[in-house]
Amino acid sequence: MTDPEMMSIGVFAELVGLTASALRFYDDAGLLRPAQVDPSTGYRFYSRSQVSRACRLRQLREIGMPLPTIGEFFAADADEAARLLDEHVAGMTTEAERLRRAAETLGASLRAESRRAVCTVPGPVLAGAVDQVSASTGHDPDIPVLNGVHMETESGCVRLTATDRYRLATRTLVPTDPTCPSWAGTLSGDDLRVATSRLRRSPSVTVEADERAVTFRTSSGDVLHCRLFPEPFPDHHLLLKSLPR
C-alpha cells in the first residue's frame, strides 16, 4: 500500500512545473528518485519534501546545466554548489560569445553573397558631392528618410540628391566604369558624414549594395558601411524635370 499523503506522478509534475515524462527520465538518471513505487503497478509516488529538489532541478535544467554536473551540484555543500553554478554560467557566457561571433561571420558571408557592385567613382569627387548635397538634408523625426542622401546609378551616371522638402540639392558624377547598373537607394546621412573624410583620401571608391546597407571599398582596402533607409525617398524627379534646361 502506498502512503495516502504521497502524490501521484501527475500531481507532483504539475506542482513542480515538470512533465511526468521528465520525472521518469530524472528517476532513470538517478537525480530524483520517487519516494515510493507501487510494487504491483510500478506507479511512482512523490512526497512534499521532494518539491524543493524538483524545483531546483528544473531551474538547473532551464539554465542548461548538464546532468552529470547537476548530480555533483546536489551532492555538494553550499560553497561547492555555488562554485559549480558560477563555472557553468561562465562557460555559457563564453559559448554565447563564440556563437555570436560565428553568427556574425555567417551573416557577413550571406550579405556578401547578396551584395552587388553598383559603381566605382573617385573618392575625392564622391566626398565633395556628399558635402554639397548633405547640407540640404532634414532632421524631421517623423520623416527620418529626409536625413538621407538618395543615390541613383545608371549607365554613365551617378546622382546624389538630398532634400528637407524646402530645399533640394543634387550632384551628378561620372563613374569610372560607364557601364554601371541601374540602382537606387537612400543612404543614412549620418553614416555618410562619418565616412566622408576617409572617402576623400581614397583615389577610387567602389560602391556595393545589398538590401540593408551600402559598402564603400577604398583603394587602401578600407571597408566602410552605410545604412539604407527602407522608407521611400520623396519623388524629386518631377521637380527636376520642371527646372529650365
Side-chain angles (χ1 to χ4, degrees):
M1 291 288 293
T2 58
D3 189 328
E5 295 186 0
M6 292 289 174
M7 289 174 278
S8 69
I9 190 171
V11 172
F12 187 74
E14 184 174 357
L15 179 64
V16 299
L18 292 168
T19 63
S21 60
L23 289 172
R24 295 187 188 97
F25 174 74
Y26 295 140
D27 179 11
D28 294 339
L31 294 174
L32 184 60
R33 301 289 193 190
Q36 292 183 10
V37 177
D38 189 306
S40 60
T41 63
Y43 290 165
R44 297 169 171 87
F45 293 89
Y46 296 82
S47 68
R48 188 161 296 276
S49 63
Q50 294 180 285
V51 169
S52 176
R53 183 183 178 101
C55 290
R56 184 65 55 81
L57 175 55
R58 173 177 51 78
Q59 292 170 329
L60 293 172
R61 291 299 290 160
E62 285 174 350
I63 65 171
M65 183 175 283
L67 296 180
T69 308
I70 291 177
E72 296 179 30
F73 180 94
F74 282 132
D77 58 25
D79 290 340
E80 177 66 10
R83 184 190 65 79
L84 290 170
L85 184 61
D86 290 342
E87 285 185 355
H88 174 68
V89 171
M92 288 185 64
T93 302
T94 301
E95 178 64 7
E97 177 61 20
R98 185 190 69 79
L99 293 175
R100 185 190 64 79
R101 291 195 301 267
E104 285 184 350
T105 300
L106 178 58
S109 67
L110 292 174
R111 288 190 291 272
E113 290 174 4
S114 65
R115 193 178 299 138
R116 62 170 179 157
V118 172
C119 63
T120 300
V121 291
V125 174
L126 175 60
V130 170
D131 287 341
Q132 290 179 2
V133 303
S134 62
S136 295
T137 58
H139 295 277
D140 187 337
D142 295 327
I143 314 176
V145 73
L146 295 180
N147 178 248
V149 173
H150 193 66
M151 176 182 281
E152 300 170 277
T153 66
E154 56 187 7
S155 183
C157 175
V158 177
R159 182 178 291 110
L160 300 181
T161 305
T163 182
D164 59 3
R165 295 186 299 172
Y166 303 100
R167 300 171 296 170
L168 185 143
T170 185
R171 273 290 308 274
T172 299
L173 315 178
V174 177
T176 304
D177 181 0
T179 62
C180 59
S182 295
W183 178 85
T186 305
L187 289 67
S188 164
D190 292 336
D191 292 354
L192 267 179
R193 282 183 279 272
V194 170
T196 298
S197 62
R198 295 168 70 181
L199 297 177
R200 198 185 313 277
R201 294 195 296 268
S202 179
S204 179
V205 174
T206 297
V207 183
E208 301 173 347
D210 58 32
E211 292 184 353
R212 296 189 299 174
V214 161
T215 299
F216 299 108
R217 296 187 181 275
T218 69
S219 301
S220 61
D222 288 340
V223 178
L224 312 173
H225 299 288
C226 183
R227 292 165 294 171
L228 287 172
F229 285 106
E231 301 85 5
F233 192 72
D235 186 0
H236 57 289
H237 293 99
L238 185 60
L239 176 61
L240 291 175
K241 289 177 181 178
S242 68
L243 295 175
R245 300 291 181 178

